[in-house]
């Protein structure tokens, strides 16, 4: 059984978590092209390295960041997003409707 340490709930079975993608700089959704937005959402470097990733603990609804080695799959550390981010990103209705037509 693989265990991941949730910063809020402690060590838990990996089946309680959902992968949320790499932590990377988000382009401005109001001004970026559809290609830039798609690259941000769907693509990663896919190289052997330690990556920062978003993870979601489904039982508690808690999002956090994990650093994981892509070759060994070892989870190096986990921590609250407030260690990297001081403000929350929100999307207004206008921003979301502008991007919905792409699908």
């Amino acid at each position: 059984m693989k265990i991941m340490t949730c910063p809020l709930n402690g060590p838990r079975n990996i089946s309680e978590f959902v992968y949320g993608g790499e932590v990377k700089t988000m382009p401005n959704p109001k001004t970026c092209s559809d290609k830039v937005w798609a690259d941000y959402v769907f693509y990663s470097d896919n190289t052997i390295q330690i990556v920062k990733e978003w993870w979601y603990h489904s039982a508690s609804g808690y999002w956090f960041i994990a650093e994981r080695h892509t070759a060994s799959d070892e989870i190096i550390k986990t921590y609250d997003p407030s260690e990297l981010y001081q403000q929350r990103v929100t999307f207004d209705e206008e921003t979301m409707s502008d991007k919905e037509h792409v699908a």
Side-chain angles (χ1 to χ4, degrees), residues 31-68:
T31 59
C32 72
S33 69
D34 290 343
K35 181 185 180 330
V36 169
W37 187 255
D39 286 347
Y40 167 73
V41 173
F42 297 111
Y43 297 105
S44 62
D45 290 339
N46 200 25
T47 58
I48 295 176
Q49 62 183 335
I50 295 174
V51 293
K52 291 179 183 161
E53 302 170 325
W54 286 104
W55 283 86
Y56 178 73
H57 183 240
S58 56
S60 64
Y62 177 70
W63 283 97
F64 63 95
I65 297 172
E67 293 183 10
R68 183 181 64 85

